[in-house]
Amino acid sequence: EESDEPKKTGKNKYRRDKPWDNDSIDHWKNEPFHPGDMKSPLLEESSFATLFPKYREAYIREVWPQVTRALDQFGIACTLDLMEGSMTVRTSRKTWDPYIIIKARDLIKLLARSVPFPQAVKILDDDMSCEIIKIGGMVGSKERFVKRRQRLLGPDGVNLKAIELLTNCYVLVQGNTVAAMGYFKGLKQVKQIVEDCMRNIHPVYNIKILMIKRELAKDPESGAG
């Protein structure tokens, strides 16, 4: 007696149906990690340190108690060394999330790059990521570098505001770096705009492309013609 199902050939020959897997499942969803999910404490201590410029010292010293409280919720210890000009984060026996040390490392990197604490602390959320884009060595001439960096901001910061709105990211241009916070897709777009700008492609062109893509996403039919 033959089955009514079509016979599988080639690469599909040995593939089996997966009734537990369907289109309604979001495979990219971040499942929340709760205290108690990790059955035993970490066996080894992990730590990260970052230096900060002298002009950030007063602000970092002021917000450090808030940094300590935010990290203490996850069992992460932190140290501020004003003599050396460094911040250090490390895991402890109380750490209940194995990935939070990476988030803590990003937090101190953002603080060192002039991101205000109320914004930087959002990096501890599961869905939030960040990127520190180094732009210092991308342009040979100092004068051209300053002009191109200014293009990212635009008159009265209008270009930067447009980039933030279209990518759903927080963006801060500071010195030789651009700090960005948001979701992966938006961070990828920000990085492309920043690097293109340093290669003499005006941000306005990329902003227009993102605006057109957003309009097409709202009304797919309009692009079908």
Side-chain angles (χ1 to χ4, degrees), residues 206-221:
N206 278 313
I207 288 168
K208 282 182 179 176
I209 289 167
L210 288 176
M211 288 172 75
I212 291 165
K213 283 181 177 177
R214 176 173 279 197
E215 288 304 312
L216 289 173
K218 285 181 190 170
D219 183 16
E221 295 298 319

Side-chain angles (χ1 to χ4, degrees), residues 31-51:
E31 294 296 336
F33 203 87
H34 302 289
D37 287 353
M38 195 167 71
K39 302 303 177 190
S40 58
L42 298 168
L43 296 175
E44 294 285 338
E45 182 189 278
S46 300
S47 65
F48 292 99
T50 191
L51 299 173

Side-chain angles (χ1 to χ4, degrees), residues 82-100:
L82 294 173
M83 294 292 290
E84 193 181 59
S86 70
M87 295 176 279
T88 307
V89 289
R90 64 176 63 81
T91 55
S92 69
R93 298 285 292 177
K94 293 179 183 175
T95 305
W96 52 265
D97 181 347
Y99 189 71
I100 200 66

Side-chain angles (χ1 to χ4, degrees), residues 25-216:
I25 298 171
D26 181 5
H27 293 286
W28 290 97
K29 183 183 175 186
N30 276 326
E31 294 296 336
F33 203 87
H34 302 289
D37 287 353
M38 195 167 71
K39 302 303 177 190
S40 58
L42 298 168
L43 296 175
E44 294 285 338
E45 182 189 278
S46 300
S47 65
F48 292 99
T50 191
L51 299 173
F52 58 85
K54 186 71 177 172
Y55 64 83
R56 288 294 285 165
E57 183 181 311
Y59 179 79
I60 289 172
R61 189 194 304 174
E62 182 188 327
V63 300
W64 196 250
Q66 297 174 60
V67 175
T68 305
R69 281 196 297 273
L71 293 175
D72 192 51
Q73 297 172 35
F74 299 94
I76 294 289
C78 57
T79 309
L80 175 62
D81 188 333
L82 294 173
M83 294 292 290
E84 193 181 59
S86 70
M87 295 176 279
T88 307
V89 289
R90 64 176 63 81
T91 55
S92 69
R93 298 285 292 177
K94 293 179 183 175
T95 305
W96 52 265
D97 181 347
Y99 189 71
I100 200 66
I101 186 63
I102 304 297
K103 294 279 194 178
R105 176 203 65 185
D106 291 342
L107 171 61
I108 58 173
K109 275 168 66 177
L110 291 166
L111 286 172
R113 294 315 311 149
S114 297
V115 177
F117 173 75
Q119 176 64 40
V121 76
K122 292 177 184 175
I123 197 64
L124 298 178
D125 297 342
D126 281 345
D127 293 331
M128 190 66 70
S129 302
C130 74
E131 181 98 42
I132 308 288
I133 307 159
K134 294 179 182 177
I135 56 174
M138 294 184 74
V139 184
S141 160
K142 177 74 175 174
E143 189 182 336
R144 270 183 306 184
F145 169 74
V146 172
K147 281 183 180 176
R148 290 180 190 178
R149 186 180 62 184
Q150 184 57 36
R151 283 182 199 165
L152 279 173
L153 299 171
D156 297 324
V158 69
N159 287 353
L160 191 68
K161 196 70 189 168
I163 292 167
E164 288 185 327
L165 287 169
L166 289 165
T167 60
N168 292 320
C169 289
Y170 169 87
V171 184
L172 179 75
V173 181
Q174 174 70 26
N176 291 326
T177 60
V178 176
M181 288 177 66
Y183 302 104
F184 287 111
K185 186 180 177 184
L187 288 176
K188 192 176 177 184
Q189 292 167 335
V190 171
K191 189 172 185 182
Q192 184 183 347
I193 293 169
V194 170
E195 290 180 347
D196 280 354
C197 182
M198 290 296 125
R199 296 187 188 110
N200 207 20
I201 300 169
H202 203 288
V204 166
Y205 297 116
N206 278 313
I207 288 168
K208 282 182 179 176
I209 289 167
L210 288 176
M211 288 172 75
I212 291 165
K213 283 181 177 177
R214 176 173 279 197
E215 288 304 312
L216 289 173

